[in-house]
């Protein structure tokens, strides 16, 4: 947001988004970095020897780290929000749907219908949190789940801005379901926090 607010960055971001869609997998997945050199597609233990740790043993091979790949729809929406130009949204709409629908498919296999693909976790987790123990430290799923809900909200707004009312309603409904699932899965009543 800061860069778009202070500088004319639309062309830079359009190029970056184009690189994301160029590297997009057949299922809609986006690599954890672009341009992709093929070394690290975000699939844990599969062609990832050059990827830095930590490695999440619960990593879902159906999608890459949502916290990072969410940049795809988030940048597209940000360019529109700051410029009012819908061209990037129109150009990338089908690719954005493939990306989001892949996450939705993964969510159907996860607890409370919340996609939780994550590789990197939190850069500064609580000191008591063992990042190598997903059960004792659910920070990976927590961050990815939040990003999943945010991505559905973004897709609903993008679809609405382009006049795709039925898609907008669908993604808004999925976001509402995921939001409720996120709360059910991660809210700890004993401490009144996530």
């Amino acid at each position: 947001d800061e860069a778009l607010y202070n500088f004319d960055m639309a062309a830079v971001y359009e190029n970056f988004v184009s690189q994301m869609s160029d590297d997009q997998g057949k299922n809609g997945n986006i690599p954890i970095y672009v341009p992709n050199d093929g070394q690290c597609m975000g699939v844990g233990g599969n062609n990832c020897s050059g990827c830095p740790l930590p490695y999440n043993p619960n990593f879902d091979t159906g999608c890459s780290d949502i916290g990072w790949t969410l940049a795809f729809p988030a940048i597209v929406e940000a360019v529109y929000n700051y410029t009012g130009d819908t061209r990037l949204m129109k150009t990338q709409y089908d690719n954005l749907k493939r990306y989001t629908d892949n996450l939705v498919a993964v969510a159907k296999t996860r607890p409370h219908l919340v996609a939780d693909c994550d590789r990197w976790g939190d850069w500064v987790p609580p000191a008591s949190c063992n990042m190598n123990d997903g059960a004792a430290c659910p920070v990976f799923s927590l961050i990815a789940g939040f990003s999943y809900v945010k991505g559905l909200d973004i897709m609903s707004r993008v679809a609405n801005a382009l006049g795709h009312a039925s898609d907008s309603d669908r993604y808004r409904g999925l976001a509402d379901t995921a939001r409720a699932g996120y709360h059910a899965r991660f809210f700890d009543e004993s401490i009144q926090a996530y």
Side-chain angles (χ1 to χ4, degrees), residues 100 104 147-156 171-172 174-175 178:
T100 306
V104 170
S147 297
Y148 172 63
V149 173
K150 182 175 175 143
L152 291 169
D153 284 332
I154 289 170
M155 265 315 285
S156 177
Y171 290 120
R172 185 173 27 269
L174 288 165

Side-chain angles (χ1 to χ4, degrees), residues 4 13-14 16-17 20 70-80 88:
L4 278 165
Y13 284 134
E14 287 172 21
F16 185 52
V17 165
M20 287 184 209
L70 184 66
F72 185 41
I75 290 171
V76 170
E77 183 188 40
V79 168
Y80 167 70
L88 185 59

Side-chain angles (χ1 to χ4, degrees), residues 17 21 24-30 72 76 86-102 155 158-159 162 164 167 170-171:
V17 165
S21 64
Q24 188 171 25
K26 291 179 180 140
N27 69 346
N29 198 11
I30 300 288
F72 185 41
V76 170
T86 61
R87 287 178 297 171
L88 185 59
M89 287 193 308
K90 288 176 182 174
T91 302
Q92 294 296 334
Y93 189 71
D94 290 338
N95 295 327
L96 291 168
K97 281 184 65 172
R98 282 183 34 238
Y99 167 78
T100 306
D101 290 344
N102 181 57
M155 265 315 285
V158 166
L162 293 177
H164 300 293
D167 284 348
R170 176 176 169 259
Y171 290 120

Side-chain angles (χ1 to χ4, degrees), residues 34-190:
V34 295
N36 173 37
D37 64 4
Q39 175 182 335
C40 192
M41 290 296 290
V43 180
N46 184 6
N47 200 23
C48 257
S49 60
C51 297
L53 293 175
Y55 167 68
N56 178 4
N58 299 316
F59 183 79
D60 188 338
T61 58
C63 59
S64 297
D65 188 310
I66 303 170
W68 286 89
T69 62
L70 184 66
F72 185 41
I75 290 171
V76 170
E77 183 188 40
V79 168
Y80 167 70
N81 288 342
Y82 283 94
T83 67
D85 189 343
T86 61
R87 287 178 297 171
L88 185 59
M89 287 193 308
K90 288 176 182 174
T91 302
Q92 294 296 334
Y93 189 71
D94 290 338
N95 295 327
L96 291 168
K97 281 184 65 172
R98 282 183 34 238
Y99 167 78
T100 306
D101 290 344
N102 181 57
L103 296 180
V104 170
V106 169
K108 290 177 182 176
T109 70
R110 308 303 299 146
H112 300 281
L113 301 176
V114 177
D116 58 0
C117 308
D118 190 291
R119 179 175 175 83
W120 307 112
D122 191 345
W123 291 16
V124 187
S128 62
C129 196
N130 177 356
M131 292 295 283
N132 293 317
D133 182 356
C137 185
V139 85
F140 289 98
S141 296
L142 189 75
I143 291 170
F146 177 84
S147 297
Y148 172 63
V149 173
K150 182 175 175 143
L152 291 169
D153 284 332
I154 289 170
M155 265 315 285
S156 177
R157 292 189 299 266
V158 166
N160 186 60
L162 293 177
H164 300 293
S166 62
D167 284 348
S168 179
D169 291 344
R170 176 176 169 259
Y171 290 120
R172 185 173 27 269
L174 288 165
D176 290 344
T177 298
R179 202 175 341 274
Y182 184 89
H183 182 75
R185 184 171 171 189
F186 296 111
F187 189 74
D188 185 338
E189 287 286 342
S190 67

